[in-house]
Amino acid sequence: MAGVGMDTKIYPSEKYDRVRFSSDQGGAGPSAMNLKERKIQQDRFYEVQSALTLEEARYSEMRKKIPGLGRIPKDRINTQSQDSEFQKRKQEHVVFVKQNFRQIECSKFVPDPKKLGVKKIRDLKCHCGEILTEHAGLSSAQPMNNVQRDIVEAYLIPEKLRSHINRETLFKAPPENLASLLHSVPWSKEDAFRENICTTFGKISFVNNDNSKPAKYVRLSHNDSVDRCLELMEKHWKIMEPKRPSLCISVIGGAKSFKLDNKMRETFNTGLIKAAKTTNAWLITTGSNVGVMKAVGNAVSEGQSFLWDDDRITHTLRLIGIGPWGYVKDRKYLESDGDGCFPVHFKTSNIIQHGKPVPLNPNHTHFVFVDDGYRNNYKGASEFRASFEQKVSKPTEAGGLGIPVVLVILEGGTDAISDAMVSLNHHIPVVVCSGTGRAADILAYAYSHTRSKHHDSKTPRNRKGELKPKHEDKLIEKIFDAYGERWKEKEIEENIRLHLTNVKKCMEHRDLINIFPMNKHEDLDIAILTALLNSKAGETSDEIRQNQLKLALTWDRADIAQEEIFREDVLWPTGSLDDVLMEAIMEERVEFVALILTQNVVMKEFLTTQKLQDLYDKSLSRMDSHHLKKLMRRTINSEEFSYDNLARLMESLMDKYDHDFDESSIVDTGPGKKFSPVLTNAQQHFKFPFKQLMIWSILMLRQKMAMFAWQMGSEPVTSAVAASRIYGSMAEHIHRNESALKEKVLAYKDEFEHLARSVLDECHIKHQEKAMMLAERKSPSWSSMTSLQIAASAGNRAYLSSVSCKNSIDTSWNRGIQSSPSKVLVTVFLPFLLFTPFLEVNAMGEKKAKTFQKILTFYTAPITKFTHHSILYIFYMTLFTVLFIV
């Protein structure tokens, strides 16, 4: 998430401390300069220095310690234009905001007849909700003389009121006849409100929260386009970078009367942050430092971290505040002279005063202030926020972002019920946190006592919730207990009827509501996922099922996917699961890979040469592939993937390697000429796809996926030994300074080595001869190498020390001789014993070993050769010793 210029700035400070440069600090200048030229030179150095990238800043710190170099290279100063890249982006930002957004100010001060109970005229509030001195023109921080003030007052105050309300009477009591005067002075928002070009935008640096990055903000009219707002966030705030969100969580609820006990707070914080981090979600509140908004901000503060994205630092959690401009405390300090504030230093607080604007929460990363012209009014942004969420949730084909949205309700006033009704009408699922009080408990009670009116509906979406009559009175009582104290007696009946109707309308979309009991300490993130899946339960389109599956994949909940998505009545078209399977492999979601393979997906058909190449290309572009890039650079002097480079790399790791392309796709171009279209035929398959998947997993250090591929593939013993061999070779190429990485690789090597031995020992228990044959077998999938050969080259002592391997080595050593070594020694000195039954030789498939076969077997056996060599060596050493002494 990078705003204007954030890719050239160093966190946490926005700019370097301003320093003075002499002529030896980055480019020599003339020794004699007048003061103006020196000022220009100094500003030039400051501009260049403040636009340094992280890498350039690192070299700048090194350069300043070397006499004569200076902090900035001369060519950087001489070649860079005055309009730096930062300034260009800033200017584009300013132009975009001014062209697309407006702010509303009241241009006519007429006191509200309902709010005349004040002691001084200065405290009178206009119909817009603001006092006179805070109206546009008078609230400016710039000093004004009396003439200027009189001109502004003449513009703001109607002529009939000007003699009673002016700068000289501000501290006097309101006249007694003011109420009657106001009857003759009309006020309407159409006449009073004026739209102006937006000048309130930029970045907020919270001075009492040093651990946060500056938050981006903009003020816009409630009539401005949501599309333009999203364009600002995407192009200028870079909110989609480095990774697009998979979910948008909108949280509403109580404000000044909201409280959570410690256990509920822990449940909420843990579940919300887990859901947000798992899906890279946007979190949306009103942005104020009170109630639910503050609770969400505190949760984000606990889970917030920063991520390197190229040359900038971004937030891992994006908390967006979409709230009313007129209800922001000290909002006038966010206004600018027209070109925005980059940044404005803003001080927030925890002090909440009843009936007055509230401060901003410093843990939010973005603010969208919605201006409807009214001040000190909390309800100015709900419609824009609802439109924003609807736009986000719309499919991309319909002009939206295609990001699922879920609404979470904690406690809440009557506006929470209204917001829930609007969201449900637009098919946005709602998670109600029961046990938190007021609106949440009212909706939870209605949900638990609602029945479906139309049982014969074919789809859940058509079912209308109907409250059971005996529970309606109890619901009315709950509504009165929650909100009745603040209502006037004559308004009680009307308000109860209104909110009861809204609750019933919410229950018409009962299938979109999910109740989460906060006091049961369950997982809130699972409740959010379940709500998203249930919201599309009645849909049958492939796209919706794909989105559901991707959400379950993001949460790594294969159990929910199996129950809710992979139902027996759902048929998946051929190839429809390929993208999800590829993502599951990339993210090492082993359970999902296994689940998808049970849906008639064949790995041999899925894993083509193009898909494997995509797998390597995507892997090499990730942050966790540095070890593989270093390995490729050290072994084959290249970091680019190709099948030739893969073959060279694997040969350096285990001596022999074959791609095992399926021969059925080899093209015959003429007599004696055949070629395999490795690069041209993207649909070519592999004979042993799980071998290729295991090799990729090993190279990427994805041990879980490597184990899965080993289990699913053929030749478990040889494959395990080969995996151990690859890991061992990789460890040899790891630098000694990377001890943690080396230990990790060696641990993976030992795991596969012990797996190979365990399987072979199990085979030995069942059948000794076949276990020995298994160890000696040439593997068609591993370049016709035996497990013994691979283990010997890898130095796998644990595997070689197994009983089957020792028996195999003994058999190879004797090569058909079944007698003891002592009999072999005697036969060496007395060869005629070969014609007697003294020495036993294996018939090797014959009914009886013939004499000639017996002689050949004896003299070609390694044990016989060793015996002859040992005897001759002893004879030579004896003779040499005797001759040397004599």
Side-chain angles (χ1 to χ4, degrees):
M1 170 180 47
V4 176
M6 283 307 292
D7 56 335
T8 57
K9 293 293 178 290
I10 297 179
Y11 179 77
S13 61
E14 280 290 305
K15 296 180 179 179
Y16 277 122
D17 292 334
R18 190 158 188 162
V19 296
R20 295 185 179 275
F21 292 88
S22 60
S23 59
D24 64 335
Q25 288 180 297
S31 57
M33 286 186 182
N34 56 41
L35 294 177
K36 185 176 181 180
E37 289 175 338
R38 284 185 177 276
K39 182 68 167 58
I40 294 174
Q41 178 84 347
Q42 180 176 329
D43 290 342
R44 178 68 185 135
F45 279 116
Y46 174 61
E47 177 189 353
V48 175
Q49 188 186 27
S50 62
L52 293 180
T53 64
L54 291 171
E55 185 177 3
E56 291 170 337
R58 176 191 176 202
Y59 291 133
S60 175
E61 292 297 317
M62 295 180 183
R63 290 173 61 89
K64 77 174 184 178
K65 298 177 182 179
I66 303 176
L69 281 184
R71 296 183 67 165
I72 306 172
K74 297 179 183 179
D75 56 352
R76 174 68 190 269
I77 299 173
N78 297 331
T79 58
Q80 180 169 338
S81 63
Q82 291 291 333
D83 293 329
S84 65
E85 190 67 22
F86 167 73
Q87 294 298 332
K88 290 180 181 178
R89 285 193 297 273
K90 177 182 175 182
Q91 189 60 31
E92 291 174 358
H93 186 190
V94 172
V95 170
F96 181 87
V97 171
K98 289 185 174 182
Q99 287 180 347
N100 293 282
F101 303 123
R102 298 291 181 267
Q103 58 191 39
I104 302 176
E105 298 287 357
C106 179
S107 62
K108 186 177 182 180
F109 178 79
V110 177
D112 188 347
K114 299 178 182 179
K115 302 176 181 178
L116 298 180
V118 296
K119 296 181 178 180
K120 296 181 179 180
I121 289 179
R122 68 175 183 180
D123 297 325
L124 288 172
K125 289 187 178 181
C126 176
H127 285 269
C128 71
E130 191 60 275
I131 61 176
L132 174 63
T133 54
E134 293 298 325
H135 272 63
L138 295 179
S139 62
S140 175
Q142 298 294 331
M144 299 174 62
N145 55 40
N146 291 337
V147 175
Q148 293 172 327
R149 190 176 184 88
D150 289 339
I151 294 174
V152 175
E153 288 182 356
Y155 173 75
L156 289 175
I157 304 173
E159 186 176 355
K160 293 182 179 181
L161 300 177
R162 210 171 295 159
S163 60
H164 300 282
I165 302 175
N166 53 63
R167 60 184 173 85
E168 296 179 353
T169 62
L170 289 178
F171 294 93
K172 296 181 180 180
E176 296 180 358
N177 63 338
L178 181 60
S180 59
L181 287 173
L182 293 177
H183 288 297
S184 61
V185 182
W187 186 96
S188 66
K189 64 179 183 180
E190 290 79 10
D191 295 334
F193 288 166
R194 297 287 184 269
E195 285 193 353
N196 304 311
I197 295 175
C198 177
T199 59
T200 308
F201 61 94
K203 300 178 186 176
I204 305 175
S205 178
F206 292 98
V207 297
N208 49 347
N209 189 9
D210 296 334
N211 295 325
S212 66
K213 286 182 59 181
K216 289 80 177 173
Y217 76 99
V218 68
R219 172 186 174 189
L220 45 79
S221 166
H222 65 294
N223 295 320
D224 283 337
S225 169
V226 174
D227 291 334
R228 299 287 80 78
C229 179
L230 287 170
E231 185 178 352
L232 169 72
M233 298 171 74
E234 182 174 357
K235 291 186 177 180
H236 298 279
W237 289 359
K238 311 293 183 185
I239 199 170
M240 293 288 189
E241 299 177 6
K243 187 178 179 181
R244 179 184 172 89
S246 303
L247 178 65
C248 178
I249 304 174
S250 179
V251 185
I252 61 173
K256 297 178 181 180
S257 61
F258 172 79
K259 289 183 180 180
L260 280 181
D261 61 36
N262 292 334
K263 292 182 179 180
M264 287 188 180
R265 184 183 299 111
E266 182 180 356
T267 301
F268 175 72
N269 290 2
T270 303
L272 184 68
I273 298 307
K274 185 178 179 182
K277 285 191 171 183
T278 302
T279 59
N280 191 39
W282 291 350
L283 299 172
I284 298 180
T285 73
T286 58
S288 54
N289 198 33
V290 60
V292 170
M293 293 68 69
K294 184 177 181 180
V296 175
N298 292 339
V300 169
S301 177
E302 293 177 7
Q304 186 65 277
S305 58
F306 297 92
L307 176 68
W308 287 102
D309 179 30
D310 292 334
D311 199 34
R312 61 177 178 240
I313 295 178
T314 65
H315 292 99
T316 55
L317 296 175
R318 315 294 174 88
L319 180 55
I320 305 170
I322 303 179
W325 167 254
Y327 211 64
V328 177
K329 185 179 180 180
D330 297 329
R331 56 185 175 274
K332 64 181 179 181
Y333 297 110
L334 299 176
E335 298 175 352
S336 72
D337 57 0
D339 291 331
C341 301
F342 296 94
V344 57
H345 297 284
F346 190 80
K347 186 176 182 179
T348 186
S349 70
N350 295 318
I351 300 175
I352 308 299
Q353 295 178 317
H354 181 71
K356 292 187 177 182
V358 294
L360 297 177
N361 182 266
N363 296 312
H364 283 64
T365 59
H366 302 78
F367 290 95
V368 177
F369 300 118
V370 183
D371 190 359
D372 63 349
Y374 291 97
R375 303 294 181 257
N376 301 311
N377 188 343
Y378 189 74
K379 299 181 180 181
S382 57
E383 292 184 5
F384 185 90
R385 177 175 173 178
S387 300
F388 181 91
E389 294 169 359
Q390 293 160 23
K391 191 70 175 180
V392 170
S393 63
K394 275 186 178 180
T396 54
E397 296 80 4
L401 297 183
I403 301 173
V405 177
V406 62
L407 182 70
V408 179
I409 301 178
L410 284 88
E411 206 244 6
T414 56
D415 55 335
I417 298 176
S418 302
D419 291 343
M421 181 181 67
V422 172
S423 297
L424 290 169
N425 286 335
H426 289 87
H427 308 303
I428 293 175
V430 174
V431 175
V432 178
C433 298
S434 64
T436 56
R438 298 205 299 170
D441 288 355
I442 290 171
L443 290 172
Y445 180 85
Y447 180 89
S448 60
H449 296 91
T450 301
R451 63 187 179 188
S452 298
K453 182 183 293 186
H454 301 292
H455 295 283
D456 56 344
S457 298
K458 294 183 179 179
T459 60
R461 184 60 48 79
N462 293 328
R463 294 176 183 172
K464 304 294 183 180
E466 182 183 3
L467 189 67
K468 298 177 182 179
K470 62 180 181 180
H471 297 293
E472 187 169 321
D473 294 338
K474 181 66 175 178
L475 184 60
I476 291 174
E477 183 181 342
K478 282 183 170 291
I479 294 174
F480 179 78
D481 292 341
Y483 312 114
E485 293 181 358
R486 300 183 181 181
W487 295 336
K488 296 180 180 179
E489 187 174 351
K490 61 181 180 179
E491 298 175 344
I492 292 177
E493 184 177 350
E494 181 182 354
N495 287 339
I496 288 178
R497 185 169 60 252
L498 172 64
H499 300 308
L500 179 62
T501 302
N502 290 342
V503 171
K504 289 182 176 180
K505 288 182 179 179
C506 290
M507 294 305 112
E508 292 179 0
H509 305 275
R510 194 173 183 274
D511 55 306
L512 294 176
I513 300 176
N514 215 58
I515 306 299
F516 175 72
M518 288 285 286
N519 52 3
K520 289 188 177 180
H521 308 291
E522 297 178 358
D523 294 330
L524 177 61
D525 59 311
I526 302 304
I528 294 174
L529 173 60
T530 304
L532 290 169
L533 296 179
N534 291 341
S535 66
K536 304 296 183 181
E539 305 289 349
T540 57
S541 68
D542 292 337
E543 181 185 0
I544 291 176
R545 287 201 298 263
Q546 288 275 358
N547 292 336
Q548 288 180 322
L549 187 56
K550 289 179 180 179
L551 280 173
L553 174 63
T554 303
W555 254 284
D556 194 17
R557 293 303 300 250
D559 54 338
I560 295 179
Q562 187 171 12
E563 294 175 4
E564 303 290 341
I565 303 174
F566 290 116
R567 302 190 304 272
E568 294 181 357
D569 59 334
V570 176
L571 297 177
W572 295 86
T574 303
S576 61
L577 296 175
D578 286 0
D579 292 341
V580 180
L581 179 55
M582 178 70 81
E583 186 175 350
I585 293 173
M586 281 292 301
E587 300 299 330
E588 202 177 8
R589 304 285 199 244
V590 175
E591 293 182 356
F592 259 94
V593 175
L595 180 61
I596 293 173
L597 290 178
T598 63
Q599 304 299 315
N600 295 325
V601 177
V602 181
M603 182 60 72
K604 189 170 184 178
E605 297 176 356
F606 164 79
L607 194 63
T608 61
T609 53
Q610 183 60 50
K611 283 191 172 66
L612 184 62
Q613 181 164 350
D614 292 343
L615 206 56
Y616 276 103
D617 289 339
K618 291 178 182 178
S619 301
L620 289 171
S621 64
R622 291 167 62 105
M623 295 291 291
D624 56 356
S625 64
H626 289 310
H627 68 279
L628 180 55
K629 292 179 181 178
K630 290 180 181 179
L631 177 65
M632 295 176 69
R633 191 164 55 246
R634 291 169 182 169
T635 54
I636 61 175
N637 197 27
S638 174
E639 295 182 5
E640 299 293 329
F641 173 80
S642 68
Y643 282 101
D644 288 339
N645 285 345
L646 178 61
R648 290 168 54 204
L649 174 63
M650 292 304 299
E651 286 174 358
S652 67
L653 295 178
M654 58 182 307
D655 302 329
K656 294 175 68 177
Y657 173 76
D658 293 324
H659 285 308
D660 302 317
F661 295 121
D662 194 345
E663 294 181 358
S664 60
S665 60
I666 293 181
V667 179
D668 190 350
T669 59
K673 296 182 179 179
K674 294 184 178 181
F675 74 98
S676 180
V678 175
L679 299 177
T680 59
N681 187 1
Q683 299 302 319
Q684 190 173 359
H685 300 279
F686 298 95
K687 292 180 181 178
F688 309 105
F690 284 107
K691 167 195 168 184
Q692 297 297 332
L693 180 60
M694 188 177 77
I695 290 174
W696 172 84
S697 303
I698 292 171
L699 293 176
M700 286 298 299
L701 301 183
R702 308 287 180 85
Q703 182 71 345
K704 291 182 180 179
M705 188 59 67
M707 294 286 290
F708 173 76
W710 169 77
Q711 292 172 0
M712 298 296 293
S714 58
E715 303 182 88
V717 174
T718 310
S719 296
V721 175
S724 177
R725 166 75 161 124
I726 298 172
Y727 275 132
S729 299
M730 289 174 66
E732 293 175 0
H733 290 89
I734 296 175
H735 196 274
R736 61 184 179 182
N737 292 337
E738 300 174 298
S739 58
L741 177 61
K742 191 167 187 176
E743 290 176 2
K744 178 180 179 181
V745 174
L746 290 176
Y748 291 164
K749 169 186 177 294
D750 294 341
E751 187 174 355
F752 268 109
E753 184 178 354
H754 286 94
L755 273 174
R757 173 167 180 168
S758 299
V759 174
L760 193 61
D761 286 346
E762 190 69 26
C763 294
H764 178 78
I765 295 173
K766 300 293 183 182
H767 199 291
Q768 297 183 7
E769 291 294 327
K770 288 184 178 180
M772 191 169 59
M773 295 175 189
L774 190 62
E776 298 172 349
R777 178 178 179 269
K778 291 185 177 181
S779 170
S781 59
W782 295 99
S783 305
S784 299
M785 293 187 291
T786 68
S787 63
L788 285 172
Q789 290 174 326
I790 301 174
S793 62
N796 291 349
R797 297 181 180 179
Y799 177 76
L800 293 173
S801 63
S802 65
V803 178
S804 296
C805 287
K806 288 191 291 184
N807 291 343
S808 177
I809 294 172
D810 290 342
T811 302
S812 299
W813 176 251
N814 292 323
R815 194 179 294 173
I817 300 177
Q818 296 179 330
S819 299
S820 63
S822 59
K823 288 188 176 183
V824 173
L825 181 61
V826 172
T827 307
V828 167
F829 287 103
L830 304 173
F832 64 87
L833 293 177
L834 289 170
F835 300 97
T836 67
F838 176 77
L839 188 72
E840 296 182 10
V841 176
N842 196 322
M844 298 183 187
E846 301 286 345
K847 293 182 179 180
K848 184 180 179 181
K850 298 179 181 178
T851 303
F852 182 71
Q853 179 185 353
K854 196 174 183 180
I855 295 172
L856 289 178
T857 302
F858 177 75
Y859 283 105
T860 57
I863 188 173
T864 307
K865 293 179 180 179
F866 177 77
T867 304
H868 279 108
H869 292 160
S870 299
I871 293 171
L872 291 174
Y873 181 75
I874 294 172
F875 174 76
Y876 166 76
M877 291 302 296
T878 304
L879 182 62
F880 178 80
T881 304
V882 172
L883 293 176
F884 182 78
I885 295 174
V886 174

